[in-house]
Amino acid sequence: MAQLMSGKIVSAQVRENLKKETEALIESTGIYPGLAVILVGHDPASQVYVRNKQLACEELGFHAFEYKLSENTTQEQLLDLIRVLNKDAKVHGILVQLPLPDHLDEQSVLYAIAPEKDVDAFHPMNVGKIMIGSYDVLPCTPAGVMELLDAAGVEIAGKNCVVVGRSNIVGKPMAMLLLQRSGTVTICHSRTKNLAEVCAAADILVVAIGKPKFITADMVKEGAVVVDVGINRLENKKLCGDVDFENVEPKASYITPVPGGVGPMTITMLMKNTLRAAKLQNGIKD
Ligand code: GUN
């Protein structure tokens, strides 16, 4: 039987600390961390995420600035808003909810966000800083995974770490974070040969490919630590991860559930980044 790595529990603990830190900041400086969230169009999943971000801001005492723009917003209109927010001292973090409608160019939108306000850590400046190990903020999902591994006391140094998925948002930064902690890291993807064998050699297996129950028990080593970043909705409306939890769980030493694993960590990490950005923009280093 594996031990569950609960994102609900760890997230609540991190939020408690963030709340105390925020109260101390407000009391000593009068600065409220401010997060601007921009949503273009009305993708239902994105609307839920944006609402949850706003609720998290309320819970922690941050100022939330929400911009719900029409589906027909032009690139120039969106860039203009970002330019205004870049200059607004009350806004410490700017997040443009992805995916954007097809007519907008995601890359130039993300590049337009001032790097110090980029609380997603998607700007090339922040991506580069992660590469060299001298960063201010980390992308929320990989940061949440690291927090879960640390809370469970999982040793990373020297371990065989396999990341399945090579996205810019999860797979690539995840691999860099594990490497920085001296893991021996392999990144797998759709063209990897002998994927099952590579996965079965992992001490720590992190899966982010968006295919329900893709990782089966034969792909997992006895005693491995398994982190499932996938959130897939099945035809019966139930959520399920990229890992066949039922059959993998008995082999693993630690495993994340879906839902309730990595998911709850992501917004908490966004809040952590926003608080840090607020401090750095006001010359407070800790
Ligand atoms: N859409 C899905 N995940 C994310 C995320 O982490 N950040 C942003 N900006 N959009 C997303």
Side-chain angles (χ1 to χ4, degrees):
M1 273 270 286
Q3 293 212 46
L4 278 191
M5 293 187 280
S6 166
K8 278 191 203 161
I9 294 173
V10 177
S11 169
Q13 287 161 350
V14 175
R15 282 194 193 195
E16 205 178 297
N17 291 335
L18 290 178
K19 192 165 180 183
K20 283 191 199 134
E21 215 183 303
T22 304
E23 281 164 2
L25 177 71
I26 295 167
E27 187 157 326
S28 63
T29 65
I31 298 162
Y32 288 76
L35 175 66
V37 177
I38 305 174
L39 173 64
V40 185
H42 28 253
D43 176 71
S46 291
Q47 282 176 327
V48 174
Y49 290 139
V50 166
R51 173 93 192 112
N52 285 338
K53 284 165 190 166
Q54 175 145 23
L55 290 175
C57 284
E58 280 169 24
E59 180 188 332
L60 297 185
F62 291 14
H63 282 163
F65 306 89
E66 205 178 275
Y67 298 87
K68 289 189 170 166
L69 309 182
S70 109
E71 187 86 32
N72 305 322
T73 303
T74 65
Q75 182 85 8
E76 218 29 59
Q77 285 168 330
L78 181 53
L79 292 177
D80 280 346
L81 173 59
I82 292 171
R83 286 183 199 116
V84 170
L85 295 173
N86 279 344
K87 291 199 195 117
D88 186 339
K90 294 189 297 304
V91 173
H92 307 103
I94 302 171
L95 180 143
V96 178
Q97 186 67 33
L98 303 177
L100 286 169
D102 287 344
H103 68 280
L104 296 173
D105 172 24
E106 184 178 299
Q107 183 157 307
S108 60
V109 168
L110 296 180
Y111 280 34
I113 297 171
E116 67 274 18
K117 296 194 177 187
D118 167 36
V119 281
D120 265 325
F122 290 167
H123 189 286
M125 170 83 94
N126 290 319
V127 175
K129 283 181 156 188
I130 291 162
M131 193 87 180
I132 56 175
S134 104
Y135 45 77
D136 300 314
V137 291
L138 290 174
C140 302
T141 302
V145 172
M146 296 307 284
E147 200 86 37
L148 282 176
L149 292 174
D150 287 342
V154 173
E155 169 89 33
I156 297 165
K159 294 290 168 61
N160 220 355
C161 303
V162 174
V163 178
V164 187
R166 55 172 157 178
S167 69
N168 289 331
I169 294 184
V170 185
K172 285 187 210 168
M174 187 74 247
M176 289 313 303
L177 298 189
L178 291 165
L179 178 61
Q180 245 146 48
R181 299 280 291 274
S182 303
T184 303
V185 184
T186 305
I187 307 178
C188 297
H189 46 80
S190 53
R191 302 289 292 273
T192 298
K193 294 210 171 89
N194 305 324
L195 179 73
E197 260 170 56
V198 179
C199 290
D203 302 309
I204 300 172
L205 181 63
V206 182
V207 192
I209 44 168
K211 292 187 181 163
K213 300 190 187 182
F214 182 81
I215 299 291
T216 47
D218 58 300
M219 298 165 84
V220 176
K221 180 161 89 175
E222 198 71 45
V225 175
V226 180
V227 179
D228 189 351
V229 181
I231 302 179
N232 309 288
R233 200 170 284 282
L234 299 175
E235 276 180 16
N236 64 9
K237 297 265 157 65
K238 273 194 161 178
L239 289 181
C240 106
D242 294 346
V243 174
D244 177 6
F245 184 90
E246 196 186 339
N247 295 308
V248 167
E249 184 270 340
K251 284 184 95 174
S253 57
Y254 292 91
I255 191 167
T256 56
V258 176
V262 177
M265 297 301 297
T266 304
I267 292 183
T268 299
M269 293 298 109
L270 174 69
M271 297 296 121
K272 185 173 174 175
N273 283 346
T274 305
L275 176 57
R276 182 155 174 76
K279 286 187 169 182
L280 288 174
Q281 282 159 50
N282 288 282
I284 304 165
K285 291 200 173 73
D286 56 10

mmCIF file of all heavy atoms in Angstrom, residues 46 49 53 95-99 110 120 122 140-141 169 266, ligand 1:
data_model
loop_
_atom_site.group_PDB
_atom_site.id
_atom_site.type_symbol
_atom_site.label_atom_id
_atom_site.label_comp_id
_atom_site.label_asym_id
_atom_site.label_seq_id
_atom_site.Cartn_x
_atom_site.Cartn_y
_atom_site.Cartn_z
ATOM 1 N N SER A 46 -11.591 27.308 -18.063
ATOM 2 C CA SER A 46 -10.816 28.495 -17.697
ATOM 3 C C SER A 46 -11.603 29.379 -16.732
ATOM 4 O O SER A 46 -11.033 29.962 -15.807
ATOM 5 C CB SER A 46 -10.461 29.309 -18.940
ATOM 6 O OG SER A 46 -9.538 28.609 -19.739
ATOM 7 N N TYR A 49 -11.137 27.970 -13.320
ATOM 8 C CA TYR A 49 -9.793 28.258 -12.789
ATOM 9 C C TYR A 49 -9.686 29.705 -12.321
ATOM 10 O O TYR A 49 -9.144 29.997 -11.259
ATOM 11 C CB TYR A 49 -8.720 28.013 -13.858
ATOM 12 C CG TYR A 49 -8.496 26.567 -14.220
ATOM 13 C CD1 TYR A 49 -8.304 26.184 -15.545
ATOM 14 C CD2 TYR A 49 -8.449 25.572 -13.253
ATOM 15 C CE1 TYR A 49 -8.096 24.853 -15.898
ATOM 16 C CE2 TYR A 49 -8.245 24.247 -13.600
ATOM 17 C CZ TYR A 49 -8.070 23.890 -14.923
ATOM 18 O OH TYR A 49 -7.859 22.582 -15.275
ATOM 19 N N LYS A 53 -8.907 31.217 -8.613
ATOM 20 C CA LYS A 53 -7.782 32.120 -8.328
ATOM 21 C C LYS A 53 -8.273 33.312 -7.523
ATOM 22 O O LYS A 53 -7.629 33.758 -6.572
ATOM 23 C CB LYS A 53 -7.118 32.555 -9.635
ATOM 24 C CG LYS A 53 -6.254 31.446 -10.215
ATOM 25 C CD LYS A 53 -5.861 31.642 -11.660
ATOM 26 C CE LYS A 53 -5.218 30.349 -12.157
ATOM 27 N NZ LYS A 53 -5.066 30.261 -13.593
ATOM 28 N N LEU A 95 -1.426 37.361 -14.779
ATOM 29 C CA LEU A 95 -1.603 36.025 -15.342
ATOM 30 C C LEU A 95 -2.622 36.093 -16.472
ATOM 31 O O LEU A 95 -3.729 36.593 -16.279
ATOM 32 C CB LEU A 95 -2.091 35.077 -14.244
ATOM 33 C CG LEU A 95 -2.331 33.632 -14.671
ATOM 34 C CD1 LEU A 95 -1.912 32.688 -13.563
ATOM 35 C CD2 LEU A 95 -3.778 33.387 -15.037
ATOM 36 N N VAL A 96 -2.214 35.663 -17.645
ATOM 37 C CA VAL A 96 -3.148 35.558 -18.767
ATOM 38 C C VAL A 96 -3.551 34.092 -18.859
ATOM 39 O O VAL A 96 -2.708 33.218 -19.086
ATOM 40 C CB VAL A 96 -2.502 36.018 -20.092
ATOM 41 C CG1 VAL A 96 -3.483 35.856 -21.245
ATOM 42 C CG2 VAL A 96 -2.037 37.469 -19.980
ATOM 43 N N GLN A 97 -4.832 33.835 -18.630
ATOM 44 C CA GLN A 97 -5.296 32.446 -18.619
ATOM 45 C C GLN A 97 -5.167 31.824 -20.008
ATOM 46 O O GLN A 97 -5.606 32.409 -20.997
ATOM 47 C CB GLN A 97 -6.752 32.405 -18.123
ATOM 48 C CG GLN A 97 -7.310 31.019 -17.916
ATOM 49 C CD GLN A 97 -6.637 30.257 -16.778
ATOM 50 O OE1 GLN A 97 -6.218 30.829 -15.778
ATOM 51 N NE2 GLN A 97 -6.498 28.958 -16.935
ATOM 52 N N LEU A 98 -4.564 30.657 -20.061
ATOM 53 C CA LEU A 98 -4.409 29.908 -21.320
ATOM 54 C C LEU A 98 -5.413 28.759 -21.338
ATOM 55 O O LEU A 98 -5.797 28.278 -20.281
ATOM 56 C CB LEU A 98 -2.975 29.374 -21.429
ATOM 57 C CG LEU A 98 -1.862 30.415 -21.352
ATOM 58 C CD1 LEU A 98 -0.513 29.720 -21.399
ATOM 59 C CD2 LEU A 98 -1.992 31.447 -22.454
ATOM 60 N N PRO A 99 -5.849 28.284 -22.466
ATOM 61 C CA PRO A 99 -5.470 28.724 -23.812
ATOM 62 C C PRO A 99 -6.185 30.008 -24.217
ATOM 63 O O PRO A 99 -7.297 30.281 -23.755
ATOM 64 C CB PRO A 99 -5.949 27.556 -24.681
ATOM 65 C CG PRO A 99 -7.105 26.961 -23.926
ATOM 66 C CD PRO A 99 -6.798 27.161 -22.487
ATOM 67 N N LEU A 110 2.628 36.437 -23.892
ATOM 68 C CA LEU A 110 3.409 36.069 -22.698
ATOM 69 C C LEU A 110 4.714 36.868 -22.625
ATOM 70 O O LEU A 110 5.172 37.226 -21.540
ATOM 71 C CB LEU A 110 3.701 34.558 -22.689
ATOM 72 C CG LEU A 110 2.462 33.652 -22.578
ATOM 73 C CD1 LEU A 110 2.866 32.180 -22.572
ATOM 74 C CD2 LEU A 110 1.626 33.970 -21.340
ATOM 75 N N ASP A 120 3.452 33.219 -13.575
ATOM 76 C CA ASP A 120 3.398 31.877 -14.165
ATOM 77 C C ASP A 120 4.806 31.353 -14.451
ATOM 78 O O ASP A 120 4.985 30.157 -14.702
ATOM 79 C CB ASP A 120 2.669 31.932 -15.522
ATOM 80 C CG ASP A 120 1.186 31.595 -15.427
ATOM 81 O OD1 ASP A 120 0.830 30.735 -14.607
ATOM 82 O OD2 ASP A 120 0.410 32.187 -16.198
ATOM 83 N N PHE A 122 6.433 31.977 -17.239
ATOM 84 C CA PHE A 122 6.399 31.552 -18.647
ATOM 85 C C PHE A 122 7.258 32.450 -19.543
ATOM 86 O O PHE A 122 7.532 32.113 -20.681
ATOM 87 C CB PHE A 122 4.961 31.591 -19.203
ATOM 88 C CG PHE A 122 4.033 30.535 -18.630
ATOM 89 C CD1 PHE A 122 2.659 30.628 -18.842
ATOM 90 C CD2 PHE A 122 4.521 29.458 -17.902
ATOM 91 C CE1 PHE A 122 1.795 29.659 -18.331
ATOM 92 C CE2 PHE A 122 3.655 28.494 -17.398
ATOM 93 C CZ PHE A 122 2.291 28.598 -17.610
ATOM 94 N N CYS A 140 3.943 27.117 -11.665
ATOM 95 C CA CYS A 140 3.138 26.671 -10.519
ATOM 96 C C CYS A 140 3.030 25.143 -10.397
ATOM 97 O O CYS A 140 3.134 24.607 -9.291
ATOM 98 C CB CYS A 140 1.756 27.290 -10.611
ATOM 99 S SG CYS A 140 1.847 29.078 -10.641
ATOM 100 N N THR A 141 2.815 24.448 -11.498
ATOM 101 C CA THR A 141 2.588 22.998 -11.384
ATOM 102 C C THR A 141 3.864 22.255 -10.961
ATOM 103 O O THR A 141 3.837 21.509 -9.974
ATOM 104 C CB THR A 141 1.980 22.438 -12.687
ATOM 105 O OG1 THR A 141 0.758 23.149 -12.932
ATOM 106 C CG2 THR A 141 1.691 20.962 -12.567
ATOM 107 N N ILE A 169 5.084 24.058 -19.970
ATOM 108 C CA ILE A 169 4.429 24.410 -18.697
ATOM 109 C C ILE A 169 4.789 23.407 -17.605
ATOM 110 O O ILE A 169 4.950 23.775 -16.447
ATOM 111 C CB ILE A 169 2.886 24.474 -18.883
ATOM 112 C CG1 ILE A 169 2.520 25.620 -19.822
ATOM 113 C CG2 ILE A 169 2.177 24.621 -17.560
ATOM 114 C CD1 ILE A 169 1.024 25.832 -19.991
ATOM 115 N N THR A 266 -1.475 23.836 -7.374
ATOM 116 C CA THR A 266 -1.098 24.772 -8.434
ATOM 117 C C THR A 266 -1.465 26.220 -8.081
ATOM 118 O O THR A 266 -0.619 27.120 -8.168
ATOM 119 C CB THR A 266 -1.758 24.323 -9.759
ATOM 120 O OG1 THR A 266 -1.356 22.985 -9.992
ATOM 121 C CG2 THR A 266 -1.330 25.164 -10.919
HETATM 122 N N1 GUN B 1 -4.129 27.213 -18.178
HETATM 123 C C1 GUN B 1 -3.950 25.985 -17.642
HETATM 124 N N2 GUN B 1 -2.933 26.007 -16.750
HETATM 125 C C2 GUN B 1 -2.470 27.263 -16.721
HETATM 126 C C3 GUN B 1 -1.448 27.919 -15.979
HETATM 127 O O1 GUN B 1 -0.728 27.331 -15.175
HETATM 128 N N3 GUN B 1 -1.308 29.245 -16.216
HETATM 129 C C4 GUN B 1 -2.062 29.905 -17.124
HETATM 130 N N4 GUN B 1 -1.816 31.201 -17.301
HETATM 131 N N5 GUN B 1 -3.023 29.340 -17.822
HETATM 132 C C5 GUN B 1 -3.230 28.025 -17.612
#
